[in-house]
Amino acid sequence: MRKASDIDFVGVEASTSWMIAEVEMEDEPEIGMRPEGGGIGPVNRAEGGGPFRVVLVEREVDHSGDPTLEDLSEALVATYGTDFGVHSPTWISRFTDMTRQAGSYRQGRVLLAGDAAHVHPPQGGQGLNTGVQDAVNLGWKLAQVVKGISHENLLDTYHAERHPVGARVLHNTMAQVALVSADPRHKALQDTMTGVLAMDEPRKHIAGMLSGLDIRYDFGEGHPVLGRRMPDLDLETDDGPTRVSTLLHDGRPLLLNFGECGSLDISPWSDRVRLVDARYEGEWELPVLGAVGSPQVVVIRPDGHVAWVGETKAVGLVEALATWFGAAESTH
Ligand SMILES: Cc1cc2nc3c(=O)[nH]c(=O)nc-3n(C[C@H](O)[C@H](O)[C@H](O)COP(=O)(O)OP(=O)(O)OC[C@H]3O[C@@H](n4cnc5c(N)ncnc54)[C@H](O)[C@@H]3O)c2cc1C
C-alpha cells in the first residue's frame, strides 16, 4: 500500500544481516553474549532446558530466499568453528540493520503505522512499542473523523506527532548498531558509554527514550505534563478508589478535575468526554523529569496523552475540548 501510494521510504541500506533461530544442538555451546557473534551474538537456552536460541552475524548482507538449516550450520561454523551438531529448528529467521522511514504517514485515505511506517534494527526492543503507539495515536482520531465528530485535518496530527517519534527511534537504533560493532574503536566507544550509563541522569534519559515513556507531543508551552503521558495515579473518586489507567480502559477522552467537586460543567461534550472529580495526595512523578506540581484540571486523550492542563476557572478548556473532541454543536 505504501509503494502503491508512492510514499517515499527513505533511510540507510542494511550493512549487516543477522540470523536468529531456535534449535536443538548435540553439543552444549557456551551460554551468554558471544563477541564472536558480532557483538550481539548471544546463545541462550529456553527456561527448563528447552531448545537453544542463537543470534549470529551472517557474512553476506543480501539474501534472496528464506534462511535454511544449512545456512545456519554454515554461519555457526564460520563464527564459532563448529555448528554444535545443530538440528531440529523450531524456527529460523533473519533481520538486518536497514533503517528507513516513510516520508509521510498519511496520504489522503492511506495511513501508515508500525513497520509499514518505519523499519530499524531491533536493538532496544522498540519496534512493537512504537508501532502500537502509532496505532493507539491514530485509532481514536480515525473513529472521530469517520463518525463526523472531527474534521479530517485531525488526521494530520497523526503524522505531526508520530513521525518525529519514529525518526528518533531510527536514530537511536543506528547509534546502538555502531556501539556493538566489534572493532577496537567502537569497543572504546562502548566502554565510554558504559561509564556514562553508570550515572543516574544519563541512564534515566536513555531508559525514558528506549521505553518511549519520555515522549512529549508539542502542544505548546505549559505544565510539564502537557503533551506527555498522564501518570497512572491512584485516585480517590466519588465511586471509590481507582487508577487513571482504569478510567482510560474504554478508550474515551477523560477530564480529571482535582479542583472543587462539581465546579466544572462540560455538558456539551458529555456524550464524548468523561468528567471525573478526583483527589490525589502528593506530587506527580513523571518519567525522566521526576516530581512536578499537581495541576487542577487535566484533559486526557484516549491515547493517554495530556491535551490540556489548567485551573478550573482558566480560559481555554472549551477551545481544547473543541480542538480535540469536536465542536459542541455537533452533538445537536
Ligand atoms: C529479531 C527481531 C527482534 C525484535 N525484537 C523486538 C522487541 O524485543 N521488542 C519490540 O518492541 N519489537 C521487536 N521487534 C520488532 C517487532 O517485531 C516489529 O516492529 C513488529 O512486529 C511490527 O508490527 P507490525 O504489526 O507493524 O508489522 P508485522 O508484525 O510485520 O505485521 C504485518 C502483518 O501484515 C500482514 N500482511 C502483509 N501484507 C499484507 C497484505 N497485503 N494483506 C494482508 N496482510 C498482509 C503480514 O503477514 C503480517 O502478519 C523485533 C524484530 C525482529 C526482527
Side-chain angles (χ1 to χ4, degrees):
M1 185 54 80
R2 186 188 63 230
K3 285 180 192 154
S5 305
D6 268 342
I7 299 175
D8 289 346
F9 204 43
V10 286
V12 179
E13 285 300 335
S15 71
T16 309
S17 175
W18 286 267
M19 205 178 279
I20 181 166
E22 189 174 277
V23 288
E24 299 289 350
M25 289 175 165
E26 298 290 337
D27 307 326
E28 182 96 5
E30 190 187 324
I31 299 295
M33 290 298 282
R34 302 282 303 256
E36 316 95 294
I40 67 158
V43 179
N44 285 313
R45 189 153 212 186
E47 271 179 33
F52 290 97
R53 290 176 185 154
V54 184
V55 182
L56 74 171
V57 169
E58 298 187 274
R59 294 218 157 147
E60 306 292 326
V61 176
D62 298 318
H63 302 272
S64 49
D66 290 336
T68 63
L69 184 60
E70 203 182 338
D71 294 334
L72 180 65
S73 168
E74 281 171 16
L76 283 165
V77 171
T79 307
Y80 300 115
T82 168
D83 73 357
F84 302 104
V86 65
H87 65 94
S88 309
T90 318
W91 46 262
I92 307 177
S93 185
R94 60 166 52 104
F95 60 93
T96 73
D97 60 349
M98 183 172 70
T99 309
R100 289 183 180 277
Q101 187 178 27
S104 174
Y105 282 13
R106 178 182 181 212
Q107 185 128 294
R109 292 167 63 84
V110 175
L111 291 136
L112 302 176
D115 281 11
H118 39 74
V119 290
H120 53 83
Q123 275 85 345
Q126 302 168 84
L128 187 59
N129 187 14
T130 310
V132 168
Q133 288 197 43
D134 290 344
V136 175
N137 184 293
L138 179 59
W140 65 275
K141 295 174 183 172
L142 261 183
Q144 287 187 181
V145 171
V146 168
K147 286 181 180 168
I149 293 170
S150 295
H151 188 271
E152 73 165 89
N153 62 16
L154 181 66
L155 297 177
D156 293 330
T157 67
Y158 169 60
H159 172 95
E161 292 170 11
R162 296 303 300 171
H163 192 274
V165 171
R168 192 178 67 152
V169 171
L170 265 57
H171 199 251
N172 84 53
T173 51
M174 282 199 290
Q176 289 186 73
V177 169
L179 267 181
V180 297
S181 303
D183 65 276
R185 289 183 180 84
H186 285 97
K187 181 73 182 60
L189 179 62
Q190 244 176 63
D191 293 342
T192 308
M193 277 303 289
T194 304
V196 170
L197 290 177
M199 293 181 263
D200 275 352
E201 283 304 312
R203 198 168 51 229
K204 269 196 261 175
H205 172 78
I206 297 286
M209 180 171 68
L210 297 185
S211 62
L213 289 174
D214 69 345
I215 291 169
R216 176 185 168 272
Y217 301 136
D218 186 5
F219 302 155
E221 297 291 309
H223 188 279
V225 81
L226 182 63
R228 294 180 192 271
R229 282 171 65 91
M230 177 69 191
D232 192 13
L233 307 176
D234 284 306
L235 305 173
E236 280 299 329
T237 71
D238 294 343
D239 297 325
T242 187
R243 297 175 71 117
V244 173
S245 55
T246 307
L247 295 173
L248 287 168
H249 274 175
D250 60 1
R252 297 168 72 86
L254 175 67
L255 190 159
L256 288 179
N257 174 25
F258 295 96
E260 191 188 333
C261 225
S263 56
L264 283 179
D265 174 16
I266 57 159
S267 40
W269 284 273
S270 56
D271 62 333
R272 279 165 271 162
V273 182
R274 183 173 178 187
L275 166 61
V276 176
D277 289 322
R279 292 165 294 286
Y280 178 76
E281 297 300 328
E283 288 174 315
W284 292 23
E285 189 76 27
L286 297 185
V288 186
L289 293 187
V292 298
S294 36
Q296 269 189 357
V297 181
V298 280
V299 175
I300 308 167
R301 307 191 315 187
D303 61 357
H305 282 260
V306 174
W308 189 84
V309 185
E311 305 295 309
T312 42
K313 296 195 168 45
V315 288
L317 175 59
V318 164
E319 287 77 5
L321 291 173
T323 299
W324 291 110
F325 312 122
E329 297 78 50
S330 64
T331 55
H332 302 297

